[in-house]
């Protein structure tokens, strides 16, 4: 971990910024998680670099008795880069929950501009846009069945590079599960998940403003007039506010 390495521990990172760290020949430019539970709340991980996986964060489990877990809530992971998989987050073995958060401007030289997932990942009420990768410019999933990436009420669109916004990798046929209310851009071959009546697919311009200060403690992308995401989401996780926090229901 270029910034923090959490090993066999429980860590809460709140109202913090991890920026401009490097794991030159390793993983987790901002944060590396090994056999640990980490909560990232109302924080920013930006400008970090990993030579291998997880430009922003890398999650890995060595000992199944201490399965790694990462919860990202009300946070922004932006402009991180990975030499391999997962420009923003690489989940190589653990449980990852991304709630009410933004992943933007991250890049990978392989799979998963924003997120690469080999294990259990859940994305809810989040925005994933303007990320870059060769495969899976937004989210790349190497899992299926119980290890598929679950998505609800989220925007995964407007990512760039050679990959689709959502894409299965590593021989996986359909690495996603949709719980509805999603706005998805380009969908990789074999993915049938985003067919719920409340899902919108094929939208390459989600109608978002630039990443910036729209209130709250973290940068976000504001919905612009005419965006197909306006009034199209839901909040099944009982969220009282959007990512910006109090005062922004």
């Amino acid at each position: 971990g270029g910034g923090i390495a959490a090993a066999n521990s429980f860590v809460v990172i709140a109202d913090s910024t991890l920026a401009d760290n490097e794991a030159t020949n390793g993983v987790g430019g901002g944060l590396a998680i090994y056999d640990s539970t980490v909560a990232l709340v109302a924080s920013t991980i930006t400008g970090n670099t990993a030579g291998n996986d997880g430009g922003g964060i890398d999650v890995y489990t060595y000992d199944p008795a201490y399965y790694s877990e990462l919860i990202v809530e009300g946070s922004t992971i932006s402009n991180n880069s990975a030499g391999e998989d997962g420009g923003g987050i690489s989940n190589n073995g653990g449980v990852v929950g991304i709630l009410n958060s933004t992943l933007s401007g991250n890049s990978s030289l392989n799979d998963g501009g924003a997120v690469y997932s080999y294990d259990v990942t859940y994305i809810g009420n989040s925005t994933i846009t303007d990320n870059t990768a060769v495969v899976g410019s937004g989210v790349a999933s190497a899992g299926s069945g119980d290890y598929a990436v679950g998505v609800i009420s989220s925007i995964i669109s407007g990512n760039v590079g050679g990959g689709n916004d959502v894409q299965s990798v590593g021989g996986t046929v359909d690495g996603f599960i949709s719980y509805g209310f999603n706005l998805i851009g380009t969908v990789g071959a074999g993915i049938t998940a985003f067919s719920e009546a409340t899902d919108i697919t094929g939208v390459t311009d989600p109608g978002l403003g630039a990443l910036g200060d729209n209130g709250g403690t973290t940068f976000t992308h504001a919905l612009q007039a005419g965006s197909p995401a306006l009034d199209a989401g839901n909040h099944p996780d009982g969220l009282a506010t959007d990512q910006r926090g109090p005062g922004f229901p």
Side-chain angles (χ1 to χ4, degrees):
I4 296 174
N8 300 106
S9 56
F10 181 87
V11 179
V12 176
I13 302 170
D15 299 302
S16 301
T17 298
L18 298 178
D20 303 323
N21 301 287
E22 289 189 26
T24 306
N25 297 310
V27 300
L31 170 64
I33 301 170
Y34 311 108
D35 301 337
S36 298
T37 296
V38 175
L40 181 74
V41 182
S43 294
T44 298
I45 293 187
T46 187
N48 302 286
T49 302
N52 292 314
D53 297 338
I57 305 173
D58 184 73
V59 181
Y60 194 84
T61 297
Y62 287 100
D63 184 352
Y66 301 97
Y67 213 64
S68 290
E69 297 182 10
L70 168 67
I71 298 296
V72 178
E73 185 168 1
S75 297
T76 295
I77 299 173
S78 63
N79 301 315
N80 303 284
S81 62
E84 294 292 337
D85 299 327
I89 299 173
S90 179
N91 179 7
N92 277 302
V95 176
V96 172
I98 302 168
L99 308 172
N100 228 5
S101 294
T102 298
L103 283 82
S104 174
N106 302 288
S107 63
S108 161
L109 294 181
N110 198 17
D111 299 341
V115 178
Y116 169 82
S117 180
Y118 183 76
D119 212 321
V120 178
T121 298
Y122 174 84
I123 301 168
N125 294 90
S126 295
T127 299
I128 297 177
T129 192
D130 199 31
N131 302 282
T132 306
V134 176
V135 179
S137 296
V139 180
S141 175
S144 60
D146 291 342
Y147 301 100
V149 176
V151 187
I152 187 168
S153 194
S154 293
I155 298 171
I156 309 177
S157 176
N159 298 285
V160 295
N164 297 111
D165 286 292
V166 292
Q167 197 160 353
S168 297
V169 298
T172 300
V173 176
D174 194 349
F176 294 84
I177 298 172
S178 172
Y179 299 102
F181 302 96
N182 298 298
L183 176 65
I184 308 295
T186 55
V187 177
I191 296 175
T192 61
F194 297 102
S195 57
E196 296 294 320
T198 53
D199 285 331
I200 303 171
T201 60
V203 178
T204 56
D205 181 0
L208 303 174
L211 186 69
D213 184 357
N214 296 296
T217 60
T218 56
F219 280 10
T220 55
H221 288 278
L223 293 174
Q224 302 298 291
S227 169
L230 286 169
D231 298 321
N234 197 2
H235 52 93
D237 294 312
L239 302 171
T241 70
D242 66 21
Q243 179 180 332
R244 296 170 293 176
F248 299 97

